[in-house]
Amino acid sequence: MNAQIPPVAPTVQPVMRTTCPYCGVGCGVLASPDGAGGASIAGDPDHPANFGRLCSKGSALGETLGLETRLLHPMARGRDGRMARADWDTAIGSIAQAFGKTIETHGPDAVAIYLSGQLLTEDYYAANKLAKGFLGTANVDTNSRLCMASSVAGHRRAFGSDTVPGVYADLDEADLVVLIGSNAAWCHPILFRRLEAARAMRGTKLVVIDPRRTATGDEADLFLPVNPGKDTVLFAGLLAWLADHDALDHAYIDAHTTGLADTLAGARAMAPDIAAVARETGVSAADLVQFYTLFATHERAVTCYSQGVNQSAQGTDKVNAIINVHLATGRIGRPGMGPFSLTGQPNAMGGREVGGLANQLAAHMNFTPVEIDRVRRFWQAPRLAEREGLKAVAMFEAIAAGRIKALWIMGTNPAVSLPRAGAMREALESLDFLVVSENVASNDTLSCRPHLVLPALAWGEKDGTVTNSERRISRQRAFLPPPGEARPDWWAIAQVGRRLGFDEAFAWRSAADVFREHAALSAFENDGSRDFDLSGLAMLDDAAFNIMAPVQWPVRSAGDSADKRFFADGHFFTPDHRARFVTPKPARLARETSTDFPFILNTGRIRDQWHTMTRTGLSPRLGAHLPVPFVEIHPSDATKLGIEHGGLVSLRSAHGSAVVEARLSVGQKRGALFAPIHWSDATSSNARINDLVARITDPVSGQPESKATPVAAMALPVRYRGFVLSRRPVTELPATWWAKVALEGGAGYLTATDLGPEEWKRHTAKILLTSDYAEYVDAPGGVYRAAAFDEAGALTGAVFLSPSGAPASWDGLKALLAARTLSSVGRRNLLSGRGEGQITPRGPLVCACFAVSAPQIEQALASESGADVARLGQLLRAGTNCGSCVPELKKLIRQRAMLDMATITPPA
Ligand SMILES: Nc1nc2c(c(=O)[nH]1)N[C@H]1C(S)=C(S)[C@@H](COP(=O)(O)OP(=O)(O)OC[C@H]3O[C@@H](n4cnc5c(=O)[nH]c(N)nc54)[C@H](O)[C@@H]3O)O[C@H]1N2
Ligand SMILES: Nc1nc2c(c(=O)[nH]1)N[C@H]1C(S)=C(S)[C@@H](COP(=O)(O)OP(=O)(O)OC[C@H]3O[C@@H](n4cnc5c(=O)[nH]c(N)nc54)[C@H](O)[C@@H]3O)O[C@H]1N2
Ligand code: SF4
Ligand SMILES: [Mo]
């Protein structure tokens, strides 16, 4: 089915097929290395996840390949507290010694490994084997605990296994798609485009359920602004409605499920009538009836869900409430039907396969006596862990309490991403031994005084497999040489295993060796009893592994490349092979608002940044979409608090605080706030949002409730706003607040401060790293500008300060940072502010591919009434490449249409 790639090494092969390192859509990428450490990037037309398309993040991968920010050598902390280069041999020895000694003195549960859905399956497999089989502890967990744990737990409760039943093609074949707790237009853009294409073809109805109106919600036929945490009530109401309107599939229920009667009774208790559901969920009765009717009347229905479902104190119940309605209608595992959990990270699914979670063993096996025995025999493990380990949040609590003394972190930045991030930092600093395997030389976790840091191969260099949301295993292949002394993560783990005396168990020579073992374990004594089965791949030779085409599991026999769905004919992985209906507990937020903390803080993602920005933060194009950390607030809440659009807001919770810019949005509910998670201490002065987030977890899955923390918000007036442009990173800024953005040719810092022109003047030399600069001071006007140039006359840095009521924009100026030369007129105009449109506001970038900003689009729409997305594409090229901005283009078009209406029809 899929084109095969020839088995040739990267040096001779100009184009390498690989997989995008970002989201769980798992798009195929063609990388053409330029021989100088870079590569041009295109979508792989033959990859069944994307058929050649890439979103804005995938398209910009080529901008993120530089080595400037990379960690290239092992580094160890010396007696003087400083980090110094170490060799791999010593590094491996010190891990083996620290872990060995800790286990000897305090037992195996005093050590832990914290992994990531961005590791390859082979890395993940190796880490899990070392911990659970040879160190004797199941204290190995992953950032997937913050991400997919509720889906895993919900699947296991309903199906007896962690099985995603459907495939992406279901979105092409559905008549109704429900997106709940998912901003797919921004977070799974290529899958969303696929859905949009299907809608254009067959008129698929789209229902979006989210407390806040997102770019995804804007596209919906029906948008349901559910109150935070009330999804189970909404779905209980749906189940009851389906029963009352004779829409249940009794044949399927009788043959393949148990527990409907109880669950239906529970649903009726939770959702006695439409009025009650409307009251609890905040969705109007009319909209509820419309949704329920759509669901009842469209057999081909898919319900996709993501973090608005998983990251809740009742996340597992939400997952089961969704699965319940699909089981009750028999709409599962058939074309165009099913519950569909969208995975976040590129290898979230692979981590689940190997047992990266502390409450799973390996290859979808659990801590049952039979399975413990089976894995022990397969690994010939001397001390297999016999019970579940600590889940991420509990693991970090054990670290803080001193019960875990040695920790290995790999591929994740917990000092930013864990709830109560501030306290987590202290916990990390208290460890007897902390080792961090990283791609980058500095981030917030690396500031937590690790004893050892290990350079890991990054995307483009590493080699192995990842599994996407539809269970499709794809190869990530190396197209760049390993830089410095960076090594694969699996290799570092294997070295430690061998140093501890387990030569045979960790004798792998390649990722292919690890993959074969992983596949063999999935096949071991399986005989169809476990969903996860790669029997057909266990005998791949190296050449076949090299050319392995994307394939969906299970792969029960060699050469089996068919796409598969699960459960159309039952055969669940429970003891009686029947699925379980699960009755959700009453829905309430773990923490309610109070007079001290009157807002509920929701957190999540923006279109063009990835998590803590260690990769996307390197791309100027991606930085231009939403360059400043912000909080969205309803205009009426803002007015009450004196908060202005673009002004600074101080956010405070019971745990911590942050300062971000306000964005007024009617898409936000009153009393609710939304802030993105991406900024850290590496990219902002104090916008690390997880400092605020409460540490409350779902009782079943252990996943933290990242989307509902009570907080207070307050306007934070400052006297001056400004910016600094610099070719080199700036280490000293006399600003109370700043945020950093990658720019072509250097970096930009947006600042806020109470210090005026005279004070800034005193700091300029330190900021610009030279005493040779030109300046313009208007102290009474509150204006200060300084600029430095190199011998060729090109701009090397600039400092701009204005009163906060009249901030200058850097949009025109920042291009000068990349320019090699600048005319003398240009230099003079620069400081006077008369340059070619240089300090006129240009507004946010909408199309990252062709650098088209919102004002440019607004202008085009104003000059050509009735222009649609296609016409904007012709006029400005906007939206014609990756398409990630199409929802935003449509929104601007709608806004323009409303303006036109308003001018045609005078208000009564
Ligand atoms: N651009 C970009 N894409 C990404 C990522 C990224 O960092 N950047 N990260 C990837 C990863 S790891 C993940 S896990 C996915 C996450 O993908 P998504 O889950 O789509 O993204 P989020 O923004 O975390 O949250 C989704 C939505 O849940 C809503 N929500 C909050 N509370 C509730 C609630 O109680 N009920 C309902 N129904 N909805 C609620 C939020 O308002 C938000 O719009 O994205 C992946 N893709
Ligand atoms: N409040 C709130 N908090 C959240 C969320 C939320 O929605 N709200 N979302 C949660 C979710 S779903 C997720 S997935 C997490 C993500 O949170 P994190 O995993 O902490 O975020 P990343 O920035 O992806 O961190 C990955 C790190 O690993 C490094 N790295 C990348 N590839 C490799 C590799 O191959 N090997 C090694 N050794 N290192 C590598 C990168 O440089 C980076 O420093 O955040 C969670 N936290
Ligand atoms: S949708 Fe974008 S981020 Fe996700 S895998 Fe595809 S190209 Fe990468
Ligand atoms: Mo995630």
Side-chain angles (χ1 to χ4, degrees), residues 624-676:
H625 179 234
L626 291 168
V628 193
F630 64 86
V631 63
E632 269 176 16
I633 180 169
H634 190 277
S636 69
D637 285 336
T639 311
K640 271 184 239 152
L641 295 168
I643 291 170
E644 286 173 9
H645 190 76
L648 289 189
V649 178
S650 156
L651 299 174
R652 201 168 42 79
S653 77
H655 317 292
S657 63
V659 176
V660 290
E661 258 192 19
R663 287 170 65 94
L664 273 50
S665 162
V666 288
Q668 202 55 245
K669 275 178 189 283
R670 287 183 181 78
L673 305 173
F674 173 83

Side-chain angles (χ1 to χ4, degrees), residues 147 307 344-345 605 611:
C147 182
Q307 299 315 338
Q345 297 175 93
R605 292 156 170 79
H611 297 168

Side-chain angles (χ1 to χ4, degrees), residues 248-407:
L248 301 187
D249 180 343
H250 289 288
Y252 189 89
I253 294 166
D254 293 345
H256 303 304
T257 72
T258 63
L260 177 67
D262 281 353
T263 296
L264 189 55
R268 290 192 195 287
M270 188 183 264
D273 53 42
I274 290 284
V277 178
R279 248 189 335 271
E280 276 234 37
T281 59
V283 177
S284 75
D287 283 353
L288 285 173
V289 169
Q290 201 189 335
F291 170 47
Y292 292 173
T293 307
L294 274 173
F295 202 95
T297 53
H298 288 76
E299 185 178 31
R300 285 171 172 255
V302 176
T303 308
C304 299
Y305 57 95
S306 191
Q307 299 315 338
V309 166
N310 292 337
Q311 289 172 339
S312 323
Q314 61 294 108
T316 310
D317 276 356
K318 287 188 187 183
V319 170
N320 285 110
I322 293 165
I323 293 174
N324 285 344
V325 299
H326 281 274
L327 289 174
T329 49
R331 296 178 191 164
I332 186 165
R334 286 187 287 148
M337 299 176 215
F340 204 137
S341 131
L342 299 179
T343 53
Q345 297 175 93
N347 202 26
M349 190 74 101
R352 287 147 67 172
E353 291 156 14
V354 302
L357 293 162
N359 54 327
Q360 296 181 326
L361 191 43
H364 281 203
M365 285 181 275
N366 304 306
F367 287 92
T368 62
V370 173
E371 289 171 316
I372 289 171
D373 175 61
R374 184 182 299 137
V375 177
R376 189 198 321 270
R377 283 184 286 115
F378 182 85
W379 278 344
Q380 305 197 350
R383 42 176 156 184
L384 197 88
E386 297 194 342
R387 56 192 160 83
E388 296 182 5
L390 294 174
K391 300 177 178 129
V393 171
M395 178 187 281
F396 278 81
E397 277 165 1
I399 292 167
R403 280 178 280 126
I404 289 176
K405 297 171 190 301
L407 175 69

